[in-house]
C-alpha cells in the first residue's frame, strides 16, 4: 500500500542518477554544518560546499519542468501544482520545527529544575523566538528576519523554493513548457539582480535567497529544454558522465568567491542534463540500493541534521558544562572535543545518525503526508488526466503552431515547439 501511495505522488518516470546526486549533496550539506574543529574545515574551499544548495535548486527546476510542464495549462492545474508543492515541502518542515520546539521546551523545563545552570542562550530566546515559529510556518523566514538565522536554519531554502516554484508555474502557464528563451531571460535577470545586491558571493541566504533560487531554478528549466543536446553519442556516455561528475566536483574545489561563482549554476545545469540520460557507468552505480535510498531520504537528511546537532550539543553542554557549546543555528563556530580525529569522527557519526533518522522520517512522515495530499488533490479536483505527448522525452523541433493535444497558453504560440516523439531511453 505504501509503495502504491508513493508512486501515486511522484512522476511516472524518474531520473535515478539525479536522485542519487541529490542524496550525495544532502550528505555534503549535513557535513558542512557540523560545528566541530575537524581538519576539513580548514580546507581552502570548504565554504564552497554551499554550492550543493545551488545544485538542489537547479535539480528542482529541471525535475519540476519534467514532471509538471505538460500539466500547467490552466488555473486549475496551477492550483493543483501549488497544492502538490505545499504537500511535498511543508509537512516535514512543520514536523521538524515541532521537534525543535519540543527541544526548547525540554531545555526550559530542565533549567527550571536546575537554576544556576550556565546557558549560551535562554530557551525561546534569540533565534528561537515564538514569533519566528509563525514566520517558519508561513515559509516567510527568509523575507521577515529578526537579525539572525532562526530555528531550523537550512529550511530557508525550502521556503524560497516554494514561492519560486509558484513563479515557475506561472511562467510555464504563460509561455509554455518549452519557452527556453523565456527561461534563459528570467535566469539572467535573477542573476543580475542577485549580483547587484550580493556582488561578493552567490551564497545569499537572508533577504535575497529568493533571487538565488529563481536564478538556479530557471537555469534548471533551461537545462531540461536543452536536454537532448546533452545526449552523448553511442559509446561516449561513459566519458560524458565522467566529465559531468568532474565538473560537479571541480567547481566547488577550485572556484574562488566572487563573480566566477555566478557561472556555477550554468555548469551544474549542463552536468545535470548529461547525467539525466542515465546511460553510463556512473548511472549504473547510482541505480544501486544505497544511492537510491540516500536520494529518497535526501529531503529528510537536509532538514533533520540540525536537530541532531542540537541534541548532541545540548547533551554535551549540560552533561559536561566545561565543554563549549554553540549558539543555536550558528554555522561559524567550532567545538573541539579533544583533537582533530575525534572531531572528524563525531561529525561523521552525526551525519550517519541524521541518515538513520531520515530513513524513519521518510517512512513515517513524508510518505503518509504525500499520500494524504494526493488523496486531497483527487477529492478537490478529480483524477489527473493522462499526460499528453508533450510530457514524454522528446526531440525538439521549432514550429510556431499550436501542438496537438494539451492546453494552450497566451504566449505559447511563440515558444512551444512541436514534439517529435522518440522511444524513451
Amino acid at each position: 500500500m505504501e509503495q502504491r501511495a508513493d508512486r501515486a505522488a511522484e512522476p511516472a518516470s524518474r531520473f535515478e542518477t539525479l536522485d542519487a546526486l541529490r542524496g550525495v549533496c544532502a550528505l555534503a550539506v549535513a557535513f558542512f554544518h557540523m560545528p566541530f574543529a575537524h581538519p576539513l574545515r580548514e580546507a581552502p574551499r570548504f565554504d564552497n560546499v554551499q554550492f550543493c544548495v545551488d545544485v538542489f535548486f537547479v535539480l528542482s527546476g529541471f525535475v519540476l519542468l519534467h514532471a509538471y510542464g505538460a500539466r500547467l495549462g490552466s488555473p486549475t492545474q496551477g492550483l493543483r501544482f501549488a497544492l502538490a508543492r505545499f504537500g511535498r515541502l511543508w509537512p516535514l518542515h512543520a514536523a521538524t520545527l515541532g521537534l525543535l520546539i519540543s527541544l526548547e521546551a525540554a531545555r526550559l523545563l530542565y533549567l527550571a529544575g536546575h537554576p544556576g545552570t550556565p546557558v549560551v542562550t535562554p530557551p525561546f530566546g534569540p533565534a528561537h523566538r515564538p514569533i519566528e515559529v509563525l514566520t517558519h510556518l508561513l515559509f516567510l523566514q527568509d523575507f521577515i528576519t529578526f537579525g539572525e538565522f532562526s530555528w531550523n536554519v537550512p529550511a530557508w531554502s525550502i521556503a524560497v523554493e516554494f514561492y519560486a516554484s509558484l513563479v515557475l508555474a506561472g511562467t510555464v502557464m504563460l509561455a509554455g513548457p518549452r519557452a527556453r528563451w523565456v527561461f534563459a531571460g528570467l535566469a539572467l535577470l535573477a542573476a543580475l539582480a542577485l549580483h547587484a545586491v550580493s556582488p561578493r558571493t552567490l551564497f545569499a541566504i537572508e533577504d535575497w535567497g529568493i533571487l538565488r533560487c529563481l536564478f538556479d531554478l530557471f537555469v534548471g528549466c533551461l537545462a531540461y529544454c536543452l536536454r537532448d543536446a546533452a545526449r552523448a553519442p553511442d559509446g561516449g556516455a561513459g566519458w560524458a558522465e565522467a566529465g559531468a561528475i568532474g565538473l560537479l566536483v571541480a567547481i566547488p574545489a577550485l572556484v574562488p568567491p566572487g563573480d566566477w561563482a555566478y557561472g556555477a549554476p550554468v555548469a551544474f545545469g549542463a552536468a545535470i542534463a548529461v547525467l539525466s540520460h542515465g546511460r553510463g557507468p556512473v548511472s549504473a552505480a547510482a541505480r544501486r540500493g544505497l544511492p537510491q535510498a540516500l536520494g529518497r531520504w535526501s529531503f529528510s537528511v537536509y532538514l533533520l541534521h540540525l536537530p541532531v546537532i542540537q541534541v548532541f550539543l545540548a547533551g554535551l553542554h549540560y552533561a559536561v558544562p566545561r565543554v563549549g557549546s554553540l549558539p543555536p543555528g550558528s554555522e561559524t563556530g567550532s567545538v573541539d572535543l579533544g583533537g582533530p580525529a575525534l572531531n572528524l569522527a563525531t561529525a561523521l557519526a552525526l551525519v550517519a545518525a541524521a541518515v538513520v533518522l531520515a530513513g524513519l522520517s521518510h517512512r513515517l512522515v513524508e510518505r503518509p503526508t504525500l499520500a494524504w495530499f494526493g488523496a486531497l488533490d483527487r477529492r478537490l479536483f478529480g483524477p489527473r488526466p493522462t499526460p499528453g505527448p508533450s510530457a514524454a522525452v522528446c526531440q525538439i523541433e521549432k514550429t510556431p503552431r499550436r501542438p496537438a493535444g494539451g492546453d494552450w497558453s497566451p504566449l505559447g504560440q511563440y515558444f512551444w515547439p512541436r514534439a517529435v516523439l522518440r522511444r524513451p531511453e
Side-chain angles (χ1 to χ4, degrees):
M1 180 181 294
E2 290 173 346
Q3 187 177 20
R4 288 196 297 271
D6 213 18
R7 287 177 178 173
E10 295 175 347
S13 60
R14 299 188 65 85
F15 299 112
E16 293 175 313
T17 310
L18 304 186
D19 288 340
L21 175 61
R22 195 185 297 271
V24 171
C25 288
L27 292 180
V29 170
F31 181 77
F32 174 75
H33 287 153
M34 292 296 154
F36 303 103
H38 56 75
L40 295 180
R41 182 176 285 276
E42 304 303 321
R45 296 284 182 260
F46 185 71
D47 284 350
N48 279 1
V49 176
Q50 296 174 87
F51 275 128
C52 289
V53 176
D54 298 280
V55 174
F56 284 140
F57 287 152
V58 176
L59 278 169
S60 292
F62 190 97
V63 173
L64 287 176
L65 190 61
H66 167 74
Y68 295 100
R71 305 176 186 177
L72 290 169
S74 70
T76 298
Q77 291 171 339
L79 289 175
R80 298 185 83 158
F81 173 83
L83 179 64
R85 294 309 294 155
F86 184 81
R88 180 70 184 98
L89 299 175
W90 190 84
L92 182 60
H93 168 62
T96 307
L97 183 60
L99 175 60
L100 290 170
I101 293 171
S102 299
L103 293 176
E104 282 297 285
R107 289 182 65 220
L108 182 64
L109 291 174
Y110 178 87
L111 293 173
H114 298 79
T117 302
V119 295
V120 177
T121 58
F124 297 103
H128 286 156
R129 298 181 181 92
I131 185 62
E132 292 170 307
V133 173
L134 180 61
T135 60
H136 276 256
L137 288 174
L138 297 176
F139 280 150
L140 294 176
Q141 69 267 33
D142 201 60
F143 304 96
I144 302 174
T145 63
F146 294 86
E148 71 275 309
F149 299 120
S150 63
W151 291 104
N152 194 11
V153 179
W156 75 268
S157 64
I158 307 303
V160 297
E161 184 177 320
F162 174 73
Y163 291 111
S165 66
L166 299 185
V167 175
L168 185 157
T171 302
V172 171
M173 291 173 65
L174 286 173
R178 292 291 184 177
R180 64 187 74 178
W181 290 110
V182 173
F183 299 145
L186 290 174
L188 179 60
L189 285 175
L192 291 174
L194 180 60
H195 188 270
V197 297
S198 179
R200 295 184 178 181
T201 179
L202 174 69
F203 304 141
I205 297 179
E206 282 192 303
D207 299 325
W208 305 114
I210 185 67
L211 293 176
R212 179 182 176 188
C213 183
L214 286 169
F215 173 29
D216 295 337
L217 212 66
F218 282 116
V219 167
C221 292
L222 180 62
Y224 182 74
C225 288
L226 301 176
R227 177 175 178 260
D228 288 344
R231 180 184 171 88
D234 293 339
W239 290 106
E241 287 194 342
I245 295 297
L247 197 60
L248 290 169
V249 173
I251 288 176
L254 300 175
V255 171
D259 293 342
W260 285 103
Y262 278 81
V266 177
F268 295 152
I272 287 167
V274 170
L275 293 172
S276 69
H277 290 282
R279 299 168 60 228
V282 172
S283 293
R287 284 190 285 269
R288 295 182 180 273
L290 180 59
Q292 288 301 295
L294 291 175
R296 288 192 301 273
W297 302 341
S298 59
F299 185 37
S300 287
V301 171
Y302 186 77
L303 284 185
L304 287 170
H305 69 270
L306 190 68
V308 170
I309 294 171
Q310 292 198 1
V311 167
F312 179 83
L313 291 180
L316 188 67
H317 180 74
Y318 294 126
V320 190
R322 66 177 179 275
V323 177
S325 187
L326 293 174
S330 173
E331 299 177 14
T332 58
S334 59
V335 176
D336 187 358
L337 299 175
L342 180 58
N343 294 335
L344 180 60
T346 303
L348 294 174
L350 291 187
V351 171
V355 171
V356 173
L357 182 61
L360 294 173
S361 168
H362 177 76
R363 182 178 182 84
L364 300 177
V365 179
E366 291 187 69
R367 292 173 67 172
T369 54
L370 280 172
W372 190 88
F373 274 93
L376 177 63
D377 174 271
R378 291 188 293 274
R379 285 198 300 271
L380 293 176
F381 304 108
R384 286 191 179 274
T386 302
S390 57
V393 177
C394 300
Q395 181 178 0
I396 302 306
E397 179 180 326
K398 179 68 179 177
T399 180
R401 69 177 182 85
R402 173 175 176 166
D407 293 289
W408 190 233
S409 56
L411 303 180
Q413 58 183 320
Y414 302 107
F415 302 107
W416 198 321
R418 178 158 53 94
V420 181
L421 296 181
R422 76 166 177 242
R423 185 182 298 277
E425 298 152 355

